[in-house]
PDB file of all heavy atoms in Angstrom:
ATOM      1  N   MET A 127     -23.410  10.854  -9.204  1.00 89.00           N
ATOM      2  CA  MET A 127     -24.304  11.827  -8.578  1.00 89.00           C
ATOM      3  C   MET A 127     -25.194  12.478  -9.633  1.00 89.00           C
ATOM      4  O   MET A 127     -26.401  12.634  -9.442  1.00 89.00           O
ATOM      5  CB  MET A 127     -23.479  12.936  -7.929  1.00 89.00           C
ATOM      6  CG  MET A 127     -23.504  13.108  -6.435  1.00 89.00           C
ATOM      7  SD  MET A 127     -24.910  12.587  -5.528  1.00 89.00           S
ATOM      8  CE  MET A 127     -25.153  13.976  -4.504  1.00 89.00           C
ATOM      9  N   LEU A 130     -27.859  10.262 -10.738  1.00 85.00           N
ATOM     10  CA  LEU A 130     -28.911  10.136  -9.738  1.00 85.00           C
ATOM     11  C   LEU A 130     -29.840  11.347  -9.750  1.00 85.00           C
ATOM     12  O   LEU A 130     -31.051  11.215  -9.587  1.00 85.00           O
ATOM     13  CB  LEU A 130     -28.302   9.973  -8.340  1.00 85.00           C
ATOM     14  CG  LEU A 130     -27.765   8.581  -8.028  1.00 85.00           C
ATOM     15  CD1 LEU A 130     -27.101   8.598  -6.673  1.00 85.00           C
ATOM     16  CD2 LEU A 130     -28.892   7.577  -8.038  1.00 85.00           C
ATOM     17  N   ASN A 134     -33.786  11.211 -10.212  1.00 81.00           N
ATOM     18  CA  ASN A 134     -34.652  11.453  -9.076  1.00 81.00           C
ATOM     19  C   ASN A 134     -35.343  12.805  -9.017  1.00 81.00           C
ATOM     20  O   ASN A 134     -36.362  12.943  -8.366  1.00 81.00           O
ATOM     21  CB  ASN A 134     -33.853  11.276  -7.785  1.00 81.00           C
ATOM     22  CG  ASN A 134     -33.492   9.821  -7.590  1.00 81.00           C
ATOM     23  OD1 ASN A 134     -34.366   8.979  -7.489  1.00 81.00           O
ATOM     24  ND2 ASN A 134     -32.216   9.539  -7.571  1.00 81.00           N
TER      25      ASN A 134
ATOM     26  N   THR C  12     -32.483   3.665  12.720  1.00 86.00           N
ATOM     27  CA  THR C  12     -31.689   4.064  11.554  1.00 86.00           C
ATOM     28  C   THR C  12     -30.212   3.867  11.817  1.00 86.00           C
ATOM     29  O   THR C  12     -29.466   3.403  10.949  1.00 86.00           O
ATOM     30  CB  THR C  12     -31.947   5.547  11.218  1.00 86.00           C
ATOM     31  OG1 THR C  12     -33.348   5.800  11.318  1.00 86.00           O
ATOM     32  CG2 THR C  12     -31.489   5.865   9.826  1.00 86.00           C
ATOM     33  N   THR C  19     -25.237  -1.740   7.536  1.00 92.00           N
ATOM     34  CA  THR C  19     -24.669  -1.364   6.238  1.00 92.00           C
ATOM     35  C   THR C  19     -23.159  -1.218   6.341  1.00 92.00           C
ATOM     36  O   THR C  19     -22.416  -1.627   5.456  1.00 92.00           O
ATOM     37  CB  THR C  19     -25.272  -0.031   5.764  1.00 92.00           C
ATOM     38  OG1 THR C  19     -26.684  -0.134   5.787  1.00 92.00           O
ATOM     39  CG2 THR C  19     -24.812   0.309   4.365  1.00 92.00           C
ATOM     40  N   ARG C 215     -30.386  -6.786   0.718  1.00 87.00           N
ATOM     41  CA  ARG C 215     -31.296  -6.215  -0.274  1.00 87.00           C
ATOM     42  C   ARG C 215     -31.760  -7.323  -1.198  1.00 87.00           C
ATOM     43  O   ARG C 215     -32.503  -8.172  -0.802  1.00 87.00           O
ATOM     44  CB  ARG C 215     -30.575  -5.112  -1.031  1.00 87.00           C
ATOM     45  CG  ARG C 215     -30.340  -3.980  -0.072  1.00 87.00           C
ATOM     46  CD  ARG C 215     -29.547  -2.833  -0.528  1.00 87.00           C
ATOM     47  NE  ARG C 215     -28.985  -2.233   0.686  1.00 87.00           N
ATOM     48  CZ  ARG C 215     -29.335  -1.051   1.190  1.00 87.00           C
ATOM     49  NH1 ARG C 215     -30.207  -0.313   0.567  1.00 87.00           N
ATOM     50  NH2 ARG C 215     -28.793  -0.604   2.304  1.00 87.00           N
ATOM     51  N   TYR C 225     -22.559  -0.048  -4.700  1.00 91.00           N
ATOM     52  CA  TYR C 225     -21.817   0.243  -3.485  1.00 91.00           C
ATOM     53  C   TYR C 225     -20.414   0.768  -3.769  1.00 91.00           C
ATOM     54  O   TYR C 225     -19.671   1.065  -2.845  1.00 91.00           O
ATOM     55  CB  TYR C 225     -21.676  -1.044  -2.647  1.00 91.00           C
ATOM     56  CG  TYR C 225     -22.896  -1.372  -1.832  1.00 91.00           C
ATOM     57  CD1 TYR C 225     -23.967  -2.042  -2.393  1.00 91.00           C
ATOM     58  CD2 TYR C 225     -22.962  -0.998  -0.495  1.00 91.00           C
ATOM     59  CE1 TYR C 225     -25.082  -2.343  -1.642  1.00 91.00           C
ATOM     60  CE2 TYR C 225     -24.067  -1.302   0.264  1.00 91.00           C
ATOM     61  CZ  TYR C 225     -25.130  -1.967  -0.302  1.00 91.00           C
ATOM     62  OH  TYR C 225     -26.229  -2.269   0.441  1.00 91.00           O
ATOM     63  N   ILE C 227     -18.956   3.505  -4.920  1.00 91.00           N
ATOM     64  CA  ILE C 227     -18.511   4.792  -4.381  1.00 91.00           C
ATOM     65  C   ILE C 227     -18.461   4.756  -2.859  1.00 91.00           C
ATOM     66  O   ILE C 227     -17.524   5.267  -2.241  1.00 91.00           O
ATOM     67  CB  ILE C 227     -19.450   5.928  -4.838  1.00 91.00           C
ATOM     68  CG1 ILE C 227     -19.484   6.005  -6.346  1.00 91.00           C
ATOM     69  CG2 ILE C 227     -19.025   7.245  -4.251  1.00 91.00           C
ATOM     70  CD1 ILE C 227     -18.190   6.465  -6.945  1.00 91.00           C
ATOM     71  N   SER C 228     -19.470   4.143  -2.257  1.00 92.00           N
ATOM     72  CA  SER C 228     -19.485   4.081  -0.796  1.00 92.00           C
ATOM     73  C   SER C 228     -18.285   3.307  -0.276  1.00 92.00           C
ATOM     74  O   SER C 228     -17.647   3.708   0.701  1.00 92.00           O
ATOM     75  CB  SER C 228     -20.758   3.386  -0.307  1.00 92.00           C
ATOM     76  OG  SER C 228     -21.881   4.047  -0.789  1.00 92.00           O
ATOM     77  N   ILE C 251     -19.170   5.623   7.374  1.00 92.00           N
ATOM     78  CA  ILE C 251     -19.937   5.914   6.173  1.00 92.00           C
ATOM     79  C   ILE C 251     -21.316   5.271   6.265  1.00 92.00           C
ATOM     80  O   ILE C 251     -22.333   5.864   5.918  1.00 92.00           O
ATOM     81  CB  ILE C 251     -19.208   5.412   4.911  1.00 92.00           C
ATOM     82  CG1 ILE C 251     -17.892   6.146   4.724  1.00 92.00           C
ATOM     83  CG2 ILE C 251     -20.083   5.536   3.683  1.00 92.00           C
ATOM     84  CD1 ILE C 251     -17.990   7.447   4.017  1.00 92.00           C
ATOM     85  N   GLY C 252     -21.355   4.029   6.749  1.00 92.00           N
ATOM     86  CA  GLY C 252     -22.631   3.332   6.848  1.00 92.00           C
ATOM     87  C   GLY C 252     -23.602   4.060   7.755  1.00 92.00           C
ATOM     88  O   GLY C 252     -24.748   4.350   7.378  1.00 92.00           O
ATOM     89  N   VAL C 254     -23.477   7.197   8.980  1.00 90.00           N
ATOM     90  CA  VAL C 254     -23.807   8.559   8.537  1.00 90.00           C
ATOM     91  C   VAL C 254     -24.731   8.531   7.324  1.00 90.00           C
ATOM     92  O   VAL C 254     -25.660   9.329   7.226  1.00 90.00           O
ATOM     93  CB  VAL C 254     -22.524   9.356   8.233  1.00 90.00           C
ATOM     94  CG1 VAL C 254     -22.859  10.715   7.670  1.00 90.00           C
ATOM     95  CG2 VAL C 254     -21.699   9.516   9.498  1.00 90.00           C
ATOM     96  N   SER C 255     -24.481   7.605   6.411  1.00 89.00           N
ATOM     97  CA  SER C 255     -25.354   7.525   5.238  1.00 89.00           C
ATOM     98  C   SER C 255     -26.778   7.229   5.637  1.00 89.00           C
ATOM     99  O   SER C 255     -27.717   7.838   5.129  1.00 89.00           O
ATOM    100  CB  SER C 255     -24.867   6.435   4.281  1.00 89.00           C
ATOM    101  OG  SER C 255     -23.622   6.731   3.771  1.00 89.00           O
ATOM    102  N   GLU C 256     -26.941   6.256   6.522  1.00 88.00           N
ATOM    103  CA  GLU C 256     -28.305   5.920   6.933  1.00 88.00           C
ATOM    104  C   GLU C 256     -28.941   7.077   7.678  1.00 88.00           C
ATOM    105  O   GLU C 256     -30.097   7.418   7.455  1.00 88.00           O
ATOM    106  CB  GLU C 256     -28.308   4.675   7.815  1.00 88.00           C
ATOM    107  CG  GLU C 256     -28.032   3.389   7.064  1.00 88.00           C
ATOM    108  CD  GLU C 256     -29.079   3.072   6.019  1.00 88.00           C
ATOM    109  OE1 GLU C 256     -30.269   3.315   6.259  1.00 88.00           O
ATOM    110  OE2 GLU C 256     -28.684   2.594   4.942  1.00 88.00           O
ATOM    111  N   LEU C 257     -28.203   7.668   8.593  1.00 88.00           N
ATOM    112  CA  LEU C 257     -28.766   8.791   9.349  1.00 88.00           C
ATOM    113  C   LEU C 257     -29.121   9.947   8.420  1.00 88.00           C
ATOM    114  O   LEU C 257     -30.077  10.672   8.662  1.00 88.00           O
ATOM    115  CB  LEU C 257     -27.769   9.248  10.419  1.00 88.00           C
ATOM    116  CG  LEU C 257     -27.633   8.325  11.628  1.00 88.00           C
ATOM    117  CD1 LEU C 257     -26.579   8.838  12.582  1.00 88.00           C
ATOM    118  CD2 LEU C 257     -28.960   8.183  12.351  1.00 88.00           C
ATOM    119  N   SER C 258     -28.338  10.086   7.364  1.00 86.00           N
ATOM    120  CA  SER C 258     -28.605  11.205   6.464  1.00 86.00           C
ATOM    121  C   SER C 258     -29.954  11.062   5.782  1.00 86.00           C
ATOM    122  O   SER C 258     -30.546  12.052   5.366  1.00 86.00           O
ATOM    123  CB  SER C 258     -27.512  11.310   5.399  1.00 86.00           C
ATOM    124  OG  SER C 258     -27.711  10.306   4.424  1.00 86.00           O
ATOM    125  N   THR C 259     -30.460   9.827   5.693  1.00 84.00           N
ATOM    126  CA  THR C 259     -31.754   9.663   5.030  1.00 84.00           C
ATOM    127  C   THR C 259     -32.871  10.302   5.824  1.00 84.00           C
ATOM    128  O   THR C 259     -33.986  10.462   5.335  1.00 84.00           O
ATOM    129  CB  THR C 259     -32.103   8.176   4.816  1.00 84.00           C
ATOM    130  OG1 THR C 259     -32.236   7.552   6.084  1.00 84.00           O
ATOM    131  CG2 THR C 259     -31.048   7.487   4.002  1.00 84.00           C
ATOM    132  N   ILE C 262     -32.166  13.986   4.156  1.00 81.00           N
ATOM    133  CA  ILE C 262     -32.203  14.166   2.694  1.00 81.00           C
ATOM    134  C   ILE C 262     -32.776  12.925   2.038  1.00 81.00           C
ATOM    135  O   ILE C 262     -32.856  11.873   2.658  1.00 81.00           O
ATOM    136  CB  ILE C 262     -30.803  14.463   2.108  1.00 81.00           C
ATOM    137  CG1 ILE C 262     -29.837  13.340   2.449  1.00 81.00           C
ATOM    138  CG2 ILE C 262     -30.277  15.784   2.576  1.00 81.00           C
ATOM    139  CD1 ILE C 262     -28.464  13.580   1.881  1.00 81.00           C
ATOM    140  N   ALA C 263     -33.151  13.070   0.793  1.00 78.00           N
ATOM    141  CA  ALA C 263     -33.808  11.963   0.089  1.00 78.00           C
ATOM    142  C   ALA C 263     -32.896  10.734   0.047  1.00 78.00           C
ATOM    143  O   ALA C 263     -31.716  10.853  -0.213  1.00 78.00           O
ATOM    144  CB  ALA C 263     -34.158  12.402  -1.329  1.00 78.00           C
ATOM    145  N   PRO C 264     -33.470   9.574   0.298  1.00 76.00           N
ATOM    146  CA  PRO C 264     -32.664   8.356   0.391  1.00 76.00           C
ATOM    147  C   PRO C 264     -31.833   8.078  -0.848  1.00 76.00           C
ATOM    148  O   PRO C 264     -30.764   7.504  -0.755  1.00 76.00           O
ATOM    149  CB  PRO C 264     -33.712   7.243   0.581  1.00 76.00           C
ATOM    150  CG  PRO C 264     -34.916   7.924   1.077  1.00 76.00           C
ATOM    151  CD  PRO C 264     -34.880   9.324   0.586  1.00 76.00           C
ATOM    152  N   ASN C 265     -32.325   8.494  -1.996  1.00 76.00           N
ATOM    153  CA  ASN C 265     -31.573   8.166  -3.200  1.00 76.00           C
ATOM    154  C   ASN C 265     -30.245   8.878  -3.290  1.00 76.00           C
ATOM    155  O   ASN C 265     -29.409   8.498  -4.095  1.00 76.00           O
ATOM    156  CB  ASN C 265     -32.392   8.506  -4.439  1.00 76.00           C
ATOM    157  CG  ASN C 265     -33.502   7.498  -4.636  1.00 76.00           C
ATOM    158  OD1 ASN C 265     -33.277   6.308  -4.523  1.00 76.00           O
ATOM    159  ND2 ASN C 265     -34.699   7.982  -4.897  1.00 76.00           N
ATOM    160  N   TYR C 266     -30.079   9.898  -2.502  1.00 79.00           N
ATOM    161  CA  TYR C 266     -28.824  10.629  -2.569  1.00 79.00           C
ATOM    162  C   TYR C 266     -27.839  10.223  -1.502  1.00 79.00           C
ATOM    163  O   TYR C 266     -26.893  10.939  -1.229  1.00 79.00           O
ATOM    164  CB  TYR C 266     -29.081  12.143  -2.469  1.00 79.00           C
ATOM    165  CG  TYR C 266     -29.752  12.673  -3.682  1.00 79.00           C
ATOM    166  CD1 TYR C 266     -30.921  13.409  -3.588  1.00 79.00           C
ATOM    167  CD2 TYR C 266     -29.228  12.431  -4.937  1.00 79.00           C
ATOM    168  CE1 TYR C 266     -31.550  13.886  -4.710  1.00 79.00           C
ATOM    169  CE2 TYR C 266     -29.850  12.902  -6.070  1.00 79.00           C
ATOM    170  CZ  TYR C 266     -31.006  13.629  -5.950  1.00 79.00           C
ATOM    171  OH  TYR C 266     -31.637  14.096  -7.062  1.00 79.00           O
ATOM    172  N   ARG C 267     -28.097   9.072  -0.921  1.00 79.00           N
ATOM    173  CA  ARG C 267     -27.166   8.555   0.089  1.00 79.00           C
ATOM    174  C   ARG C 267     -25.729   8.595  -0.396  1.00 79.00           C
ATOM    175  O   ARG C 267     -24.801   8.778   0.365  1.00 79.00           O
ATOM    176  CB  ARG C 267     -27.509   7.091   0.367  1.00 79.00           C
ATOM    177  CG  ARG C 267     -28.136   6.835   1.674  1.00 79.00           C
ATOM    178  CD  ARG C 267     -28.190   5.338   1.863  1.00 79.00           C
ATOM    179  NE  ARG C 267     -29.526   4.947   2.226  1.00 79.00           N
ATOM    180  CZ  ARG C 267     -30.262   4.104   1.559  1.00 79.00           C
ATOM    181  NH1 ARG C 267     -29.809   3.545   0.475  1.00 79.00           N
ATOM    182  NH2 ARG C 267     -31.458   3.800   1.981  1.00 79.00           N
ATOM    183  N   ILE C 268     -25.578   8.415  -1.707  1.00 80.00           N
ATOM    184  CA  ILE C 268     -24.235   8.322  -2.252  1.00 80.00           C
ATOM    185  C   ILE C 268     -23.476   9.626  -2.070  1.00 80.00           C
ATOM    186  O   ILE C 268     -22.248   9.667  -2.150  1.00 80.00           O
ATOM    187  CB  ILE C 268     -24.329   7.982  -3.757  1.00 80.00           C
ATOM    188  CG1 ILE C 268     -22.997   7.557  -4.281  1.00 80.00           C
ATOM    189  CG2 ILE C 268     -24.802   9.187  -4.516  1.00 80.00           C
ATOM    190  CD1 ILE C 268     -22.947   7.542  -5.763  1.00 80.00           C
ATOM    191  N   GLY C 269     -24.228  10.698  -1.802  1.00 83.00           N
ATOM    192  CA  GLY C 269     -23.554  11.975  -1.603  1.00 83.00           C
ATOM    193  C   GLY C 269     -22.663  11.963  -0.376  1.00 83.00           C
ATOM    194  O   GLY C 269     -21.661  12.675  -0.306  1.00 83.00           O
ATOM    195  N   ILE C 270     -23.025  11.119   0.581  1.00 85.00           N
ATOM    196  CA  ILE C 270     -22.249  11.097   1.825  1.00 85.00           C
ATOM    197  C   ILE C 270     -20.821  10.619   1.586  1.00 85.00           C
ATOM    198  O   ILE C 270     -19.866  11.285   1.982  1.00 85.00           O
ATOM    199  CB  ILE C 270     -22.946  10.209   2.878  1.00 85.00           C
ATOM    200  CG1 ILE C 270     -24.312  10.799   3.229  1.00 85.00           C
ATOM    201  CG2 ILE C 270     -22.082  10.069   4.110  1.00 85.00           C
ATOM    202  CD1 ILE C 270     -24.259  12.152   3.882  1.00 85.00           C
ATOM    203  N   PRO C 271     -20.650   9.465   0.966  1.00 87.00           N
ATOM    204  CA  PRO C 271     -19.253   9.077   0.736  1.00 87.00           C
ATOM    205  C   PRO C 271     -18.506  10.054  -0.157  1.00 87.00           C
ATOM    206  O   PRO C 271     -17.320  10.295   0.051  1.00 87.00           O
ATOM    207  CB  PRO C 271     -19.352   7.696   0.082  1.00 87.00           C
ATOM    208  CG  PRO C 271     -20.769   7.451  -0.183  1.00 87.00           C
ATOM    209  CD  PRO C 271     -21.576   8.399   0.610  1.00 87.00           C
ATOM    210  N   LEU C 272     -19.208  10.639  -1.114  1.00 85.00           N
ATOM    211  CA  LEU C 272     -18.554  11.627  -1.965  1.00 85.00           C
ATOM    212  C   LEU C 272     -18.065  12.812  -1.143  1.00 85.00           C
ATOM    213  O   LEU C 272     -16.953  13.303  -1.310  1.00 85.00           O
ATOM    214  CB  LEU C 272     -19.543  12.162  -3.002  1.00 85.00           C
ATOM    215  CG  LEU C 272     -19.408  11.633  -4.411  1.00 85.00           C
ATOM    216  CD1 LEU C 272     -20.273  12.444  -5.330  1.00 85.00           C
ATOM    217  CD2 LEU C 272     -17.971  11.702  -4.878  1.00 85.00           C
ATOM    218  N   LEU C 273     -18.957  13.258  -0.270  1.00 85.00           N
ATOM    219  CA  LEU C 273     -18.596  14.372   0.591  1.00 85.00           C
ATOM    220  C   LEU C 273     -17.417  13.990   1.473  1.00 85.00           C
ATOM    221  O   LEU C 273     -16.484  14.768   1.670  1.00 85.00           O
ATOM    222  CB  LEU C 273     -19.809  14.727   1.460  1.00 85.00           C
ATOM    223  CG  LEU C 273     -19.743  16.074   2.175  1.00 85.00           C
ATOM    224  CD1 LEU C 273     -19.694  17.178   1.152  1.00 85.00           C
ATOM    225  CD2 LEU C 273     -20.957  16.230   3.070  1.00 85.00           C
TER     226      LEU C 273
END
Side-chain angles (χ1 to χ4, degrees):
Chain A
M127 245 333 226
L130 282 175
N134 291 300
Chain C
T12 317
T19 307
R215 292 175 205 249
Y225 279 83
I227 301 292
S228 303
I251 296 275
V254 175
S255 296
E256 287 297 322
L257 286 177
S258 76
T259 63
I262 58 179
N265 286 315
Y266 290 127
R267 252 189 231 122
I268 194 194
I270 297 296
L272 257 190
L273 195 63

